Amino acid sequence: MSLANQFAAYSAWRTLLSNDIAEFQHWLAENELSDGQIDLRLSQLQERLREDRLNVAFVAEFSRGKSELINAIFFAEYGNRMLPSSAGRTTMCPTELLFDASKKPCIELLPIQTRASNASVSEYKRFAEEWTQLPLNGDSPEDMQAALHHVSETIRVTPAQAGELGFEVGKGEADPYRIGADGLVEVPRWRHALINFPHPLLKQGLVILDTPGLNAIGAEPELTLSQLPNAHAVLFILAADTGVTQSDLTIWKEHIAGNGNARRGRMVVLNKIDGQWDELKSAAAIDAEIARQVDSCAAILNLPASQIFPVSAQKGLVAKINEDAALLARSRLPALEEALSGELIPAKREIVCESTDAEFGDVVARVRALLDSRFAGLREQLDELAELRGKNRGVVEYMMGKIRAEKEEFEAGLQRYYAVRSVFSTLTNNLFGHLGIDRLRQLTGETRENMLEARFSKTLSDAMGGFFARTREALAKSNGEIAEILAMMDAVYKKFAVEHGLKLGAPTAFSLLRYEREIDRLQAWCDTHLNTVVTLLTHDKRNITQKFFEEVAIQVRRAFERANRDAEVWLRAIMAPMETQVREHQIQLKRRLESIKRIHQATDTLEDRIAELDSVGKTLEGQLAMLADIEYRVRDLMSPEQMAELRAA
């Protein structure tokens, strides 16, 4: 099945899942089972599903046929090349292809001069006025081609300016940025390109990232620190006519393979195999030669040969445009597309299932606990009223006094609840005191001062190391506060369950381990690229400081921002069940007392009240059954069998 069909099935599945959650939210509101927090969580879950993106990155040195491969996989139905593709360097800056319905089809180009500032590309994405915008006419492939050629534009600058913009200037023929006869260096005109285009796959949430070689990747660390690690699939393209060059190997080891070459969603494409198509050779001899090249690349990259896909992107594109099935099969492009869809879609779906199941499951548990509590309170009322059948006024008064005493006892217990809220608030403040952005901003400012004032390389190195040490200390202290909050809430849950019969279960656990791992990754990158003896001795102090803060510190800040959001969600989730149960228990006690009071005032209404409660009980049973049905539908939708049915359809 083609990648387009697989993606369409995934998109349909995601829509069905979102619709079921919306129906669940509506049902909760109709039955008065929701509150502000539940409604917010379900709305946020639907928003995440609507804005879900599938990120595929294409990484290669220049002249590997990367743009042609993108054309062959995604744009063949337009009958021509959409992205510029020719000999030499065509993709001069990192390019993202996506679709944003709030904007008209266009190309947004960020000038290369913005590299001289301290801001990253993601920061510039917040300011539309910094980008040059060009319209795209999706109805005319020729107009599209002409507009997309702007991505390849270059300018000529002095060697000093090129260095300031992050380009390593050389004089050899192999150096991509070398001084010409006029004493100037040719560099990309643009730093980053965003192509907003209503392609069917892009409209369904696909985002394609096209990266232009080692020099550009090194000059834009945001690619290696954020975009490439977060891509759901990375296609690393080699050329059959060059094999694995030294720069190819550098890209693979430093920016793709990471700590493990078998990372899911990382594929190697050996392009341009049509160079081996020799009419004087037999088909078997050609296949054997291609197999030898695959084995050679696999050995160098330390990969199994099954993870390397030999293709001819150019022939595959021609075959699709001309509807030549034989040529398409010979290009081997379908095998790559099948592997891509087989890796990409299930991996992304698994991620969505995990996040949805956690959020949806927690809400269902809260609603079920609420219904169980109401049902238990109802049974208790029915038992009490049944005992009053045929009893005299004195017995009714006794029961009323008993419930009133129980209510007073519970209200006295609420003082402990309010005390817990007070302690919880204090511990929460302590947690955000360690984890908060203000604390990180202070640390960042102190580190910047220390680095700028450093006179020796060791002082500069110690300042960077100290930044990470204090960041880890903040996470460690935050984990301590989290453990204390969890222990306190566990004890309180158990106490209220024993003393007042509240059904609270166990409080939800939380950990900052993923952010500790993120800090480890960022420090490893810093120690490899900035905090080295060679870099410290050969680069200007201010240049190192600038790179540290615009490339590393900003990623640490984003990690802390995500940790703050996760902590806030957890704190609400851990307190919400208790708040809901306490409020519900208060309501039930009040209802019981009012019911007995009415019976005390007119005992002839007893049978009517019992009948009324029986009716409420049937309603609650129906609500519990409906809740179970909705939960079954959502969880069944997240099963692999459902995805298989959608693909078949």
Side-chain angles (χ1 to χ4, degrees), residues 135-154:
L136 272 181
N137 180 9
D139 296 328
S140 170
E142 293 75 18
D143 290 351
M144 285 277 294
Q145 280 185 307
L148 289 169
H149 268 90
H150 287 285
V151 177
S152 307
E153 290 177 340
T154 61

Side-chain angles (χ1 to χ4, degrees), residues 36-87:
Q37 189 200 352
I38 286 178
D39 197 53
L40 177 64
R41 292 175 71 179
L42 291 177
S43 295
Q44 289 175 337
L45 180 56
Q46 290 178 76
E47 187 69 19
R48 287 202 300 271
L49 287 170
R50 279 194 298 270
E51 296 183 353
D52 178 51
R53 291 287 184 267
L54 207 60
N55 298 293
V56 182
F58 288 75
V59 182
E61 273 290 25
F62 65 93
S63 295
R64 301 295 188 265
K66 172 168 47 64
S67 298
E68 191 78 324
L69 183 62
I70 296 174
N71 284 325
I73 294 176
F74 299 108
F75 298 112
E77 69 269 25
Y78 287 90
N80 209 326
R81 293 183 176 90
M82 300 308 295
L83 294 182
S85 178
S86 59

Side-chain angles (χ1 to χ4, degrees), residues 601-621:
Q601 293 166 358
T603 55
D604 59 340
T605 63
L606 176 60
E607 294 302 326
D608 292 340
R609 182 60 180 159
I610 290 175
E612 182 185 331
L613 290 175
D614 277 333
S615 176
V616 173
K618 288 183 174 62
T619 300
L620 284 172
E621 287 177 347

Side-chain angles (χ1 to χ4, degrees), residues 109-111 114 123-132 190:
L109 301 162
L110 185 65
T114 57
E123 295 288 329
Y124 274 107
K125 286 180 180 179
R126 302 177 185 178
F127 305 100
E129 65 274 10
E130 298 288 345
W131 299 70
T132 297
W190 310 109

Side-chain angles (χ1 to χ4, degrees), residues 609-639:
R609 182 60 180 159
I610 290 175
E612 182 185 331
L613 290 175
D614 277 333
S615 176
V616 173
K618 288 183 174 62
T619 300
L620 284 172
E621 287 177 347
Q623 288 176 337
L624 280 166
M626 180 61 73
L627 177 65
D629 180 63
I630 292 173
E631 183 182 15
Y632 172 79
R633 280 168 50 196
V634 172
R635 294 192 185 282
D636 182 58
L637 196 57
M638 289 191 283
S639 67

Side-chain angles (χ1 to χ4, degrees), residues 188-446:
R189 182 179 179 183
W190 310 109
R191 179 182 181 184
H192 200 88
L194 298 172
I195 301 176
N196 189 47
F197 178 56
H199 183 280
L201 290 182
L202 302 182
K203 289 171 77 172
Q204 293 180 56
L206 179 68
V207 177
I208 301 170
L209 175 63
D210 187 2
T211 59
L214 178 60
N215 196 282
I217 292 176
E220 291 288 358
E222 189 173 0
L223 289 170
T224 58
L225 291 174
S226 178
Q227 289 185 292
L228 290 181
N230 293 328
H232 301 107
V234 175
L235 272 68
F236 179 53
I237 297 98
L238 302 170
D241 55 355
T242 60
V244 183
T245 66
Q246 187 57 49
S247 59
D248 288 328
L249 192 59
T250 301
I251 292 176
W252 173 257
K253 287 183 176 179
E254 294 188 5
H255 305 304
I256 300 176
N259 296 325
N261 292 344
R263 243 180 114 180
R264 191 171 185 179
R266 271 51 182 164
M267 303 179 185
V268 178
V269 179
L270 183 63
N271 194 19
K272 302 186 179 182
I273 61 169
D274 51 293
Q276 303 298 325
W277 296 358
D278 188 339
E279 295 180 357
L280 298 179
K281 292 182 180 179
S282 66
I286 293 171
D287 289 344
E289 177 59 31
I290 293 173
R292 280 193 294 273
Q293 287 186 305
V294 168
D295 291 338
S296 174
C297 293
I300 295 172
L301 299 179
N302 191 27
L303 282 175
S306 59
Q307 279 189 249
I308 297 180
F309 297 87
V311 303
S312 171
Q314 192 270 335
K315 299 303 181 188
L317 176 61
V318 170
K320 284 186 174 183
I321 292 173
N322 295 332
E323 298 183 359
D324 187 337
L327 182 60
L328 182 61
R330 196 180 182 195
S331 74
R332 305 196 190 187
L333 188 64
L336 172 63
E337 292 181 325
E338 183 179 350
L340 182 60
S341 61
E343 282 268 353
L344 179 60
I345 305 298
K348 177 58 176 172
R349 184 178 170 280
E350 188 178 318
I351 293 169
V352 172
C353 281
E354 286 176 1
S355 62
T356 302
D357 186 59
E359 195 75 22
F360 176 77
D362 188 55
V363 170
V364 167
R366 281 187 59 190
V367 174
R368 180 172 285 114
L370 177 61
L371 286 172
D372 286 342
S373 174
R374 288 182 181 179
F375 211 59
L378 182 69
R379 287 197 184 99
E380 194 169 352
Q381 286 189 62
L382 281 169
D383 291 343
E384 288 171 349
L385 295 179
E387 289 179 10
L388 295 178
R389 279 178 170 145
K391 300 293 196 277
N392 58 31
R393 189 178 183 83
V395 174
V396 175
E397 289 176 350
Y398 169 76
M399 289 296 295
M400 189 164 59
K402 180 182 175 184
I403 296 171
R404 186 178 285 117
E406 187 179 337
K407 184 172 180 290
E408 290 172 356
E409 181 185 354
F410 182 72
E411 287 175 350
L414 284 181
Q415 299 305 314
R416 289 194 299 274
Y417 167 70
Y418 296 134
V420 167
R421 295 257 349 208
S422 177
V423 175
F424 182 82
S425 179
T426 300
L427 292 175
T428 297
N429 291 336
N430 292 344
L431 170 60
F432 288 115
H434 302 309
L435 194 62
I437 299 302
D438 289 340
R439 178 70 175 268
L440 182 65
R441 190 177 291 115
Q442 179 186 352
L443 170 59
T444 302
E446 292 172 0

